[in-house]
Amino acid sequence: MNVFHIPDQLPEQEWTELLLEGNTRIERIISHGQTSDWYDQTEDEWVCVLAGEGELEYADGSRQRLRAGDTAWLPAHLRHRVSDTSEPCIWLCVFRRAEPEE
């Protein structure tokens, strides 16, 4: 799979799981103008915009504009949402579940 390939037709956002190993999951997400609901995830997330632009909005009202090559770290339970994207925007997302305490 080529992470830069964009299908000819994208009716909605497209999520593609690239890796699921242990407590780590890597996804490619293609957005084209969508906004998201609010997230309060149980996983840490590192995101990198590979192409296009996207904007993250946080619960405190602050916003972070990400352009190709920019990254963001979203610790678990940091309320956030995608408030804007270009057409298209390709995200690479790495999720990490917390290790269970023993």
Side-chain angles (χ1 to χ4, degrees), residues 9 13 17 23 34 47 62 65 101:
Q9 298 207 4
Q13 279 186 307
E17 187 174 88
N23 68 340
Q34 291 96 344
V47 299
S62 64
R65 190 82 184 167
E101 293 184 25

Side-chain angles (χ1 to χ4, degrees), residues 78-92:
L78 175 65
R79 260 178 73 75
H80 68 282
R81 71 183 192 113
V82 176
S83 57
D84 183 42
T85 61
S86 63
E87 296 188 27
C89 180
I90 302 175
W91 307 81
L92 182 66

Side-chain angles (χ1 to χ4, degrees), residues 19 23-28 41 43-48 72-74 91-97:
L19 175 77
N23 68 340
T24 302
R25 177 172 42 96
I26 300 175
E27 292 183 350
R28 178 192 72 168
Q41 303 170 162
E43 302 167 298
D44 294 328
E45 180 182 6
W46 175 85
V47 299
C48 179
W73 174 248
L74 307 168
W91 307 81
L92 182 66
C93 305
V94 179
F95 298 90
R96 181 183 67 182
R97 287 189 314 276

Side-chain angles (χ1 to χ4, degrees), residues 32-44:
H32 54 100
Q34 291 96 344
T35 59
S36 72
D37 292 330
W38 287 95
Y39 295 109
D40 184 356
Q41 303 170 162
T42 59
E43 302 167 298
D44 294 328

